[in-house]
Amino acid sequence: MRLVEYADVRTAPVMAADGGVSSLMLPCVFSPKSHQYLALCAQDGRLRIWNADSKTLHQEYVPSAHLSASCTCIVWGPCRTTKEGPQRKKRKSEAGQTAEKPDLLALGTATGSILIYSTVKGSLQCTLDGGHNAGVNCVQWHPEESVLYSGSDDTHIAEWDLQTGKTRCKWKADRTSVTSLCVSPDGKWLLSAGMAIKMWELETKVLYRKFTGHSTMVTTLCFATTRPPDSNGLYFLSGAVHDRLLSVWQVRTDGKDKNSVVSFTLTDEPKHIDLLTSNSKEEPMRLAVVCKDGQLHLFEHFLNGPCKKPLSPVCSVQVSGVGTKASEGDTPVPVPLLAATLSSDKQNVLLAYGSHLQPVIERAPVNTSERHICLIRDICATLSLSIDTAITKVKTPVVNEKSKILVPGLPGHQAPVKATPSEPEKRKKGPSSTEMTIEERLEQVELSAAEGKGPGKGVSSLQTDSFAVLLVQGLESKDNTILNKVLQTRKETLIRNTVARLPLPAILPLVEELSTRMQGNPNSAIFMVQWLKAVLTQHTSYLSSLPDLVSQLGRLYHMIESRVKWYQQLTRLHGKLHLLMTQVATSNSVPRVSELDHTAKLVYEESSEEDEASGDDGLPEDDSDNWEDDEEEEEGMDTTEKHADEDEEERNDEPKANGDSDLDPENESEEE
């Protein structure tokens, strides 16, 4: 029995030997059982399915949001019998043979939605939305029922019903992101992993056992046996980020399974695992692990109990290509392996290596007696692959030199005679003549109306009618070009008139389209809200008459509620920040006062004579002609004052000469 698991690892570059980026860890996985197809997603977000037998591109699918919602994981669904076209009556020899082909692919996206793609129909079957609030990290199918399990960054596991496209239940699995899932072959147990590994009983959704041993996020889970846990024979494998050991755990009934029983040594963290179990106890378990560094390691081991030492690979395979640069010459350059799967015989291994845009698929013989195998391939010569006829129906015929090409025209198979300019050209009106599309006609009507009437009411009515017709046409055909042209307008009057002229059957598709655009691209909400407001205000009576309005507008309601939830707190924060910034701007705008200079610029001193003079200046003068007389009087007064001063000095000098200066102050006072 074969158990295949794809490790959902975040996109990260793989460094080549020369220091350059050789490949990216993008989703890549072979189809189960027959391994006829290889599904992978490249950097451009496109899903490509390659035929492993013919080495050609079988199908290509471009998701509508492949740029914004990148693919994070790919998982093939279980092979089931498919019915294509009318069934004829089978013979007795063909009665026991049933054709089981891989049909469905589950693609997890970074926005939280899951795409279900059908390879038989070559189209998208359904989209699972509303189960997760963050990106999907891992997806797993139920082996028997039409049930899908998904783990996300929102720490929850969702159980999906593929017949209805809705979630059956959802429960919290870990405190951190759920990075890996795995369903047991009997469909009774589910393994989930984040930082720790948990085992759930699917019928009751009850936690059965918890395993701890990895220090980083677990990205790989795979059941190794199909026996129930009651027999102590249930084993599973786990690998983590930046962990070079692949651990094997045993589920015991006594609960003594805290540590791993076996460890496999790797050169880097695991990226892709293919496991082939044995039906008898005499044959070992075969394991193929593709690591992040692009190498393949093959293991063989009997799962019969604990093993103390880590096990080394039986054989390691590396693919190398001839150097293309002049400096490299013929020096082999490592080529990373994308995926590998084991065949029923022990001699061959199916490999996929090279680029995600155009991988090389090869069934290579491997001799396990050699410890290291290096396959040297010329990648440039091998990449001359042709596209399958399912993609293009155009075939170029093989023309020999002797063959003649017949040109349709006049009898004799000659070139048709061209009409002269003088001859009138007759145009036949019929279905064969080229017709303009509705969009081109409406644009011409709009231009002619604008030229004839000018910017008036007639032009606006014609423009509104054309927008309404274009909007209906875009909703019916789901043409993003037309929808972008109409929905990106900002004229409120034009939006209101266009919504008023819409027919009632186009209202709900318009609301769904607006909800999808608001959820997928939050930056376009400023345009979509105006249209949504016009629809809700003008078609309220029609929407209220719908019986299932709550279920149809539920997604829109929850999306608006989640966005408005923090509006009040953000408004308060905006007010506080505005106040703070205003104060900072005001303080920066006020000029700073430098230190004052306390020294006087001018000093004016006044004497007692000047005070008297200033007092006299304030009095009114009798005659302005007496200035000279006043000056003569002042000079006379000055001379008399001088004589009086001289007499006083002579009087003072006489006592000093007579020795009166030595008298005591008391005697001096008595004499006075």
Side-chain angles (χ1 to χ4, degrees), residues 419-456:
T420 58
S422 60
E423 296 179 359
E425 297 181 358
K426 298 181 180 180
R427 298 180 180 179
K428 297 181 180 180
K429 297 181 180 180
S432 61
S433 61
T434 58
E435 297 181 356
M436 294 187 298
T437 61
I438 298 178
E439 183 178 1
E440 295 175 352
R441 290 183 180 181
L442 291 173
E443 288 180 355
Q444 289 187 359
V445 170
E446 180 181 347
L447 292 175
S448 61
E451 293 176 359
K453 297 183 180 181

Side-chain angles (χ1 to χ4, degrees), residues 53-69:
D53 298 333
S54 61
K55 314 293 190 300
T56 55
L57 182 62
H58 179 61
Q59 290 180 7
E60 183 177 4
Y61 172 69
V62 183
S64 58
H66 65 284
L67 296 179
S68 60

Side-chain angles (χ1 to χ4, degrees), residues 604-617:
Y604 181 76
E605 296 181 357
E606 293 182 355
S607 60
S608 59
E609 296 178 358
E610 291 177 353
D611 293 340
E612 294 175 357
S614 62
D616 297 338
D617 292 340

Side-chain angles (χ1 to χ4, degrees), residues 438-484:
I438 298 178
E439 183 178 1
E440 295 175 352
R441 290 183 180 181
L442 291 173
E443 288 180 355
Q444 289 187 359
V445 170
E446 180 181 347
L447 292 175
S448 61
E451 293 176 359
K453 297 183 180 181
K457 297 182 179 179
V459 178
S460 62
S461 62
L462 286 174
Q463 190 176 8
T464 302
D465 293 338
S466 64
F467 266 68
V469 175
L470 283 177
L471 185 56
V472 174
Q473 181 183 2
L475 292 174
E476 291 179 355
S477 61
K478 296 182 179 180
D479 191 348
N480 291 328
T481 304
I482 300 177
L483 292 175
N484 291 336

